[in-house]
Amino acid sequence: MASVLRTAAQARPAVARTALRPASRLTPVVLHRKYAAAAAAARAVSSDSGERSIFPDEPSGPSVKTAIPGPKSKQAIERLSKVFDTRSLNMMTDYQRSYGNYIADPDGNVLLDVYAQIASIPVGYNNPSLLLAATSPEMASALINRPALGNFPQHDWADILETGILSVAPKGLDQVFTGTTGSDANELAYKAAFMWKRQQQRGGAGVDFTDDEINSSMQNQSPGAPQLSILSFSSAFHGRLFGSLSTTRSKPIHKLDIPAFDWPQAPFPECKYPLDQYAEENAREEQRCLDETERLIKEWHNPPAAIVVEPIQSEGGDNHASPNFFRGLRELTKKHDILFIVDEVQTGVGATGKFWAHEHWGLSSPPDMVTFSKKAQTAGYYYGNNELRPNKPYRQFNTWMGDPARAILFRAIIQEIERSNLVQNTANTGAYLYDGLARLAEQYPKEIQNLRGKGQGTFIAWDSPRRDEVLKTAKSQGVNIGGSGAQAVRLRPMLIFQKHHADILLEKLDTIFKS
Amino acid sequence: MASVLRTAAQARPAVARTALRPASRLTPVVLHRKYAAAAAAARAVSSDSGERSIFPDEPSGPSVKTAIPGPKSKQAIERLSKVFDTRSLNMMTDYQRSYGNYIADPDGNVLLDVYAQIASIPVGYNNPSLLLAATSPEMASALINRPALGNFPQHDWADILETGILSVAPKGLDQVFTGTTGSDANELAYKAAFMWKRQQQRGGAGVDFTDDEINSSMQNQSPGAPQLSILSFSSAFHGRLFGSLSTTRSKPIHKLDIPAFDWPQAPFPECKYPLDQYAEENAREEQRCLDETERLIKEWHNPPAAIVVEPIQSEGGDNHASPNFFRGLRELTKKHDILFIVDEVQTGVGATGKFWAHEHWGLSSPPDMVTFSKKAQTAGYYYGNNELRPNKPYRQFNTWMGDPARAILFRAIIQEIERSNLVQNTANTGAYLYDGLARLAEQYPKEIQNLRGKGQGTFIAWDSPRRDEVLKTAKSQGVNIGGSGAQAVRLRPMLIFQKHHADILLEKLDTIFKS
């Protein structure tokens, strides 16, 4: 096992030797093309399923040698504890020895990873294409010359955006404001919404602030600091900074003791699964939630400037609703002249079998803003309407405004996704995996309840009455799985997760349920 | 000029050729030592001042060839504008051609940079030591395998922290919570303060949340979302996310139209400069502000859990106060059992001639938390008291919790600072520069008013009645300078800024003031 796991230190000179020489005459695009051809030639056929492996040289399966954490991990945890809070620690990780879908620990254990750094690793650990991007001269420059993008953008920033972040912009949205994390992305979008709404109330971009607005803003009082809100949904998760946490309604432990804005919370539909079997009942539940949303828009004492919603509520327990519900929200926002923000921080970048999960909805007009992070490894919000650019400079601004290094990495991720058709792979693998889980659910009805995510790629979850025990046992079986909400097991594999990986996962689950 | 400016693409193979071969047998430490020796041998003697140049091969001075922006810059700005808001743009930048203290643009203009990406470039553009760190195998791994640090820390995370971020921890603070930006760092510190204060009110870490707290937190209502506050000061700047913006009191344009918490603002002393000439008057002003701070702590309807203060108010106009004022704040926080957060996002990492600006104060006990970012190129808060770790996991948590790639870069920055004794250099250069500016102030009393920053390294500013015109003219003279507040010119050079650079700056200012 260990022999097929390359460390980054070993892999890098190898890549450099074959592809980077003579580096000075080749552009990164040409270099990448060379590597891609080499990788394609090296593709192996998996003996288990007969499918072509997307990620060459991956381990053929998990390998568990010690209890987890083993002795070396325990030692590392003890040392880290002294300087860093480790009480949320799940598994001490050796990233140099992790590869593809497999995560390694310091004790030599190698696990199939279907949690992927809380859904944020897109194309595999130590992906050679990303390694190439990470060792490129432009990456080095981006790392050591980090710009204040709003003041001193690099001359090729437009090019990096257009060939990267914007090349996968949701339909109808052709601009971006870049940020650093999912929370940051959402808060930036909220700020854009507030400025837009106040400008509208004021009578347009040409109308100046009043003295009262100017003075009261400095006192954190209205009208300068307006009594407006962002409407979110029960069980939503949009981040943990003060504004985003005010829209997060996942769990008390996320919110306790932190001051919050008095913003409204509409009920998210509590649908029955599988969705299509309970279509009529679910439609009634969704209509109830839409009605309550509309009531809150009209009546909440701090009127919303925007609605924010996740296509699938992730941290809150993998809660799904139908496209009809989301179309309904879009209509409500139009009717009441507020903005529709879709938070694709966890659902975006291919995991649901579409590049953006909201593509499943068939909206008649695009969302006003779509926020992204995690698998993008950078963050920000897409928008299309020029009115969402505030009317003066320095209103939507901060020192770094994102990070070109991470934007360059996202471009490499996008190229890797396109090269290996990974969104389609995720749709196909997801369908295969869902069917396998449905069979297991029939066999073990007490273990797999409310299976959900059909047709949503590998974005699959179920409820488990003994969830935490299952997750723990899975580790000893060589599978790293995450939970969400109170009792959901959520699968969040990478986009390179294939049928032969699904087979391993299904087999391990069978073993766990038997026990 | 252009010949001495290396592009990163050119520089990298050169470094790789001399130092990286054979990479597989050498650790980054050994590689760095080799480079450092080469750099030391290459050090030139500046013909102007006779001092040894810290940064070899720097341009000997600025070179302005076109109006700024020139034709190529204009073209790049026009293109970028279509997808990215460019109304705050100061100068389109070519980072590959920037070097040391000099920033280049696409038109071939090369400017002495004393703004340094809003005070965030520590040791020069395209610094070869940072380049080495940026192209190391561990950096590549950190970039392409970004961990969810709270759940899956890398096995050497303790080592990276101890040899990097924690090796420069302020005295008395030996732990860190890592983040991504200055705003993020402050908000994380605020959250820690709120959890600490509520735990204390509740009666300790062992006392459980009440049902009322649990339920009300999910409704964004007290007691679960408590009516507590963070006290900040007039003209303060602590960031632009919703919580940090509520403590920011710099300018209306930063705050207008964004909802804010009803938190208290104490007056920051309006001292007269130079501080020592007005010691008695300033002491009275500082006492007035301390008294008002105490009154707000006792009487504000949303009681503060903490005070946050910058050692020198930066964005707010470079406002200084004496060590006595800050010692007074520390005493007040102890007396009233609240926390003392020092925001060193702009002042930290050497710019004031100490590694941390609060070292100038002679505090009897360290701050409870010190936040950092900008020149650190990463972010977070230092703390020492174990009570600041919340009583349960997942309370202070988010997906990434910082970025090991940037932590590795900060380590390289620290090593570079120590290798070339850059904090001492900044103290020395600052004293020299201040004296030169004092002479110019005598010569041009209408141009340089309220000169401030004596004994504070290069963290120097003055008021200018025609500030924006001066900044603009400076650019045409080949110097990139920033402003702050309403009329301050602020100098924020890098730590490699030396006397021969100060001479150029002083000469250019003389030319500007003559005109």
Side-chain angles (χ1 to χ4, degrees):
Chain A
M1 176 67 55
S3 66
V4 294
L5 291 176
R6 302 171 178 183
T7 69
Q10 288 167 335
R12 189 169 159 273
V15 171
R17 226 173 291 133
T18 55
L20 275 173
R21 184 174 302 165
S24 51
R25 285 191 291 112
L26 296 182
T27 65
V29 174
V30 176
L31 291 170
H32 179 261
R33 212 173 285 149
K34 280 185 164 235
Y35 163 74
R43 274 182 195 166
V45 174
S46 155
S47 57
D48 293 342
S49 64
E51 73 185 332
R52 283 160 61 90
S53 175
I54 292 170
F55 209 99
D57 298 338
E58 244 193 343
S60 56
S63 152
V64 178
K65 294 170 175 173
T66 73
I68 298 176
K72 286 184 189 167
S73 295
K74 279 186 181 159
Q75 214 173 355
I77 294 168
E78 196 186 327
R79 179 173 170 203
L80 182 57
S81 267
K82 288 177 190 144
V83 294
F84 198 78
D85 191 347
T86 57
R87 282 169 303 166
S88 311
L89 195 141
N90 182 318
M91 183 179 146
M92 186 57 80
T93 305
D94 185 337
Y95 289 97
Q96 277 83 11
R97 299 176 66 206
S98 302
Y99 202 66
N101 287 283
Y102 289 86
I103 185 169
D105 79 0
D107 295 284
N109 298 303
V110 178
L111 280 65
L112 180 65
D113 190 2
V114 294
Y115 194 25
Q117 307 305 315
I118 317 180
S120 71
I121 296 286
V123 293
Y125 294 113
N126 286 304
N127 180 298
S129 297
L130 300 201
L131 187 63
L132 201 61
T135 54
S136 67
E138 70 178 328
M139 177 65 84
S141 176
L143 281 171
I144 66 180
N145 304 313
R146 187 171 187 175
L149 280 170
N151 280 167
F152 302 93
Q154 53 197 94
H155 66 285
D156 56 353
W157 184 228
D159 187 61
I160 292 172
L161 292 175
E162 285 168 7
T163 58
I165 294 176
L166 285 169
S167 74
V168 291
K171 201 179 156 190
L173 311 184
D174 58 1
Q175 301 183 49
V176 68
F177 192 93
T178 47
T180 50
T181 64
S183 282
D184 184 41
N186 283 330
E187 297 215 353
L188 290 166
Y190 300 172
K191 287 181 73 173
F194 287 125
M195 290 188 272
W196 170 85
K197 174 48 84 178
R198 287 294 294 140
Q199 178 167 302
Q200 190 190 57
Q201 291 175 340
R202 205 176 277 123
V207 183
D208 259 348
F209 306 117
T210 65
D211 287 347
D212 190 19
E213 286 174 324
I214 289 170
N215 296 330
S216 58
S217 76
M218 295 301 283
Q219 304 295 326
N220 290 8
Q221 301 295 326
S222 76
Q227 301 283 346
L228 293 174
S229 65
I230 303 291
L231 183 146
S232 63
F233 291 87
S234 55
S235 301
F237 186 93
H238 300 292
R240 285 164 162 266
L241 298 164
F242 285 84
S244 48
L245 188 61
S246 291
T247 56
T248 284
R249 312 278 184 163
S250 45
K251 285 182 184 174
I253 201 73
H254 298 157
K255 291 174 71 73
L256 271 157
D257 294 349
I258 312 300
F261 289 109
D262 188 13
W263 291 353
Q265 168 189 215
F268 192 82
E270 296 185 14
C271 288
K272 291 192 174 171
Y273 305 102
L275 291 177
D276 49 1
Q277 263 182 44
Y278 297 91
E280 205 174 315
E281 204 174 331
N282 289 340
R284 277 196 304 274
E285 167 66 359
E286 291 181 344
Q287 190 55 51
R288 178 186 76 85
C289 295
L290 288 171
D291 291 346
E292 179 61 6
T293 303
E294 181 161 29
R295 189 188 69 75
L296 288 166
I297 293 172
K298 290 196 287 191
E299 296 180 11
W300 190 258
H301 47 282
N302 298 323
I307 283 179
V308 63
V309 72
E310 299 155 273
I312 299 165
Q313 289 192 328
S314 309
E315 304 300 309
D318 270 59
N319 308 314
H320 294 246
S322 75
N324 201 47
F325 173 70
F326 296 101
R327 288 195 295 263
L329 290 180
R330 167 79 284 192
E331 293 314 310
L332 282 180
T333 55
K334 280 183 172 174
K335 179 176 170 191
H336 295 284
D337 215 1
I338 64 176
L339 300 178
F340 186 45
I341 305 172
V342 178
D343 175 346
E344 292 248 25
V345 169
Q346 187 154 164
T347 52
V349 192
T352 69
K354 304 265 189 194
F355 202 96
W356 302 107
H358 75 268
E359 293 170 34
H360 288 284
W361 302 342
L363 291 177
S364 58
S365 64
D368 294 294
M369 288 182 267
V370 173
T371 63
F372 61 96
S373 186
K374 287 203 194 283
K375 283 191 183 61
Q377 296 280 302
T378 179
Y381 64 87
Y382 293 105
Y383 65 106
N385 183 347
N386 264 323
E387 282 179 23
L388 288 176
R389 291 190 182 186
N391 68 336
K392 289 176 198 288
Y394 288 105
R395 299 194 68 192
Q396 185 78 297
F397 185 85
N398 58 66
T399 295
W400 284 326
M401 295 193 5
D403 184 346
R406 293 288 172 186
I408 289 168
L409 194 72
F410 187 27
R411 180 172 63 185
I413 290 164
I414 292 165
Q415 288 168 353
E416 186 72 352
I417 289 172
E418 289 172 354
R419 186 177 67 82
S420 294
N421 208 4
L422 294 181
V423 179
Q424 189 58 51
N425 171 66
T426 299
N428 297 348
T429 307
Y432 178 83
L433 176 60
Y434 186 93
D435 286 349
L437 288 165
R439 282 194 301 275
L440 278 181
E442 273 179 34
Q443 204 177 337
Y444 304 100
K446 284 186 185 161
E447 298 283 358
I448 297 189
Q449 300 173 355
N450 298 319
L451 180 66
R452 48 202 186 263
K454 188 175 184 178
Q456 300 288 322
T458 56
F459 214 99
I460 297 171
W462 63 88
D463 292 331
S464 164
R466 53 175 193 126
R467 192 260 314 265
D468 293 349
E469 193 189 332
V470 167
L471 299 185
K472 206 177 159 204
T473 313
K475 228 176 223 94
S476 70
Q477 287 290 324
V479 189
N480 184 39
I481 317 184
S484 65
Q487 56 172 7
V489 174
R490 61 168 154 172
L491 304 183
R492 244 13 53 105
M494 306 164 195
L495 307 178
I496 54 162
F497 189 78
Q498 294 180 272
K499 289 176 187 169
H500 61 275
H501 303 111
D503 287 336
I504 294 172
L505 173 62
L506 291 165
E507 183 202 315
K508 296 293 181 186
L509 286 171
D510 188 50
T511 306
I512 294 164
F513 296 152
K514 263 191 198 131
S515 72
Chain B
M1 177 67 54
S3 67
V4 294
L5 291 176
R6 303 168 178 186
T7 68
Q10 287 166 337
R12 191 169 158 271
V15 171
R17 227 173 288 132
T18 58
L20 276 173
R21 183 173 301 167
S24 52
R25 286 192 290 112
L26 296 181
T27 67
V29 175
V30 175
L31 291 170
H32 178 261
R33 212 174 286 151
K34 281 184 163 236
Y35 163 75
R43 274 181 196 168
V45 174
S46 155
S47 56
D48 294 339
S49 64
E51 74 186 327
R52 282 161 62 89
S53 175
I54 292 169
F55 209 98
D57 299 338
E58 246 194 341
S60 56
S63 153
V64 179
K65 295 171 175 170
T66 72
I68 298 177
K72 285 185 189 165
S73 294
K74 277 185 182 161
Q75 214 174 354
I77 294 167
E78 196 186 329
R79 179 173 169 204
L80 181 58
S81 269
K82 287 177 192 145
V83 294
F84 198 77
D85 191 347
T86 57
R87 281 169 306 166
S88 312
L89 194 141
N90 182 317
M91 183 178 146
M92 185 57 81
T93 305
D94 185 337
Y95 289 97
Q96 277 84 11
R97 298 177 66 205
S98 303
Y99 202 65
N101 287 283
Y102 289 86
I103 185 169
D105 80 359
D107 294 286
N109 299 302
V110 178
L111 280 66
L112 180 65
D113 190 2
V114 295
Y115 195 24
Q117 306 305 315
I118 316 182
S120 71
I121 295 287
V123 292
Y125 294 113
N126 286 304
N127 180 297
S129 297
L130 301 200
L131 185 64
L132 201 60
T135 53
S136 67
E138 71 178 327
M139 177 65 86
S141 176
L143 280 171
I144 67 179
N145 303 314
R146 185 170 188 176
L149 280 170
N151 280 166
F152 302 93
Q154 52 197 96
H155 66 285
D156 56 353
W157 184 227
D159 188 60
I160 291 171
L161 292 175
E162 286 168 7
T163 59
I165 294 176
L166 285 169
S167 73
V168 290
K171 202 179 156 190
L173 310 184
D174 58 0
Q175 301 182 50
V176 67
F177 192 93
T178 47
T180 50
T181 63
S183 283
D184 184 41
N186 284 329
E187 297 216 351
L188 290 166
Y190 300 173
K191 288 180 73 172
F194 288 124
M195 289 188 272
W196 170 85
K197 175 47 85 180
R198 285 296 293 140
Q199 178 167 302
Q200 190 191 57
Q201 291 175 339
R202 205 176 278 124
V207 183
D208 259 348
F209 307 116
T210 65
D211 286 348
D212 191 17
E213 286 174 323
I214 289 170
N215 295 330
S216 59
S217 76
M218 297 300 283
Q219 303 297 324
N220 290 8
Q221 301 295 327
S222 75
Q227 301 283 348
L228 294 174
S229 64
I230 304 291
L231 182 147
S232 63
F233 291 87
S234 55
S235 300
F237 186 93
H238 301 291
R240 286 166 162 264
L241 298 165
F242 285 84
S244 50
L245 188 60
S246 291
T247 56
T248 284
R249 312 279 184 163
S250 44
K251 287 181 182 173
I253 201 73
H254 298 158
K255 291 174 71 73
L256 273 157
D257 294 350
I258 312 300
F261 289 108
D262 188 11
W263 291 354
Q265 167 189 213
F268 192 82
E270 296 185 14
C271 289
K272 291 190 173 171
Y273 306 101
L275 291 178
D276 49 3
Q277 264 183 43
Y278 297 92
E280 205 173 314
E281 203 174 334
N282 288 341
R284 276 198 303 276
E285 166 67 358
E286 291 180 346
Q287 190 55 53
R288 178 185 76 85
C289 294
L290 288 170
D291 291 345
E292 179 61 7
T293 302
E294 181 162 28
R295 189 188 70 75
L296 288 167
I297 293 172
K298 288 197 287 193
E299 295 179 12
W300 190 259
H301 47 281
N302 298 322
I307 283 179
V308 64
V309 72
E310 299 154 274
I312 301 165
Q313 289 192 329
S314 309
E315 303 301 310
D318 270 58
N319 308 316
H320 293 248
S322 75
N324 201 47
F325 173 70
F326 295 102
R327 286 195 296 263
L329 289 180
R330 167 78 285 193
E331 293 315 309
L332 281 181
T333 55
K334 279 184 172 172
K335 179 175 169 191
H336 295 285
D337 214 3
I338 64 176
L339 300 178
F340 187 44
I341 305 171
V342 178
D343 174 347
E344 292 247 26
V345 169
Q346 187 154 164
T347 53
V349 192
T352 69
K354 305 264 188 195
F355 202 95
W356 302 108
H358 74 268
E359 292 170 34
H360 288 285
W361 301 341
L363 290 177
S364 58
S365 65
D368 296 294
M369 288 182 268
V370 173
T371 61
F372 61 96
S373 186
K374 288 201 191 287
K375 283 191 182 61
Q377 295 281 301
T378 177
Y381 64 87
Y382 293 105
Y383 65 106
N385 182 347
N386 264 324
E387 281 178 24
L388 287 176
R389 289 190 182 187
N391 67 337
K392 288 175 197 290
Y394 289 105
R395 299 193 68 192
Q396 185 77 299
F397 185 86
N398 58 67
T399 295
W400 284 326
M401 294 193 5
D403 184 347
R406 293 287 172 188
I408 289 168
L409 194 73
F410 187 27
R411 181 171 64 185
I413 290 164
I414 292 165
Q415 288 167 353
E416 186 72 352
I417 288 171
E418 289 171 354
R419 186 176 68 80
S420 294
N421 208 5
L422 295 181
V423 179
Q424 189 58 50
N425 171 66
T426 299
N428 298 347
T429 307
Y432 178 82
L433 176 60
Y434 186 92
D435 287 348
L437 288 165
R439 283 193 301 276
L440 278 181
E442 274 178 33
Q443 203 177 338
Y444 306 100
K446 283 187 185 160
E447 297 284 357
I448 297 190
Q449 299 173 357
N450 299 318
L451 179 65
R452 48 201 186 265
K454 189 176 183 177
Q456 300 288 322
T458 56
F459 213 101
I460 296 172
W462 64 87
D463 292 330
S464 165
R466 52 175 193 124
R467 191 261 312 266
D468 292 350
E469 192 188 334
V470 167
L471 299 185
K472 206 177 160 203
T473 313
K475 227 174 225 94
S476 70
Q477 288 289 327
V479 189
N480 184 39
I481 317 183
S484 65
Q487 56 172 6
V489 174
R490 61 169 154 171
L491 304 183
R492 246 12 54 102
M494 307 165 195
L495 307 178
I496 53 162
F497 189 78
Q498 295 181 270
K499 288 175 188 170
H500 61 276
H501 303 111
D503 287 335
I504 295 171
L505 173 61
L506 291 166
E507 183 203 314
K508 296 292 182 185
L509 286 172
D510 188 52
T511 307
I512 294 164
F513 297 153
K514 263 189 198 132
S515 72

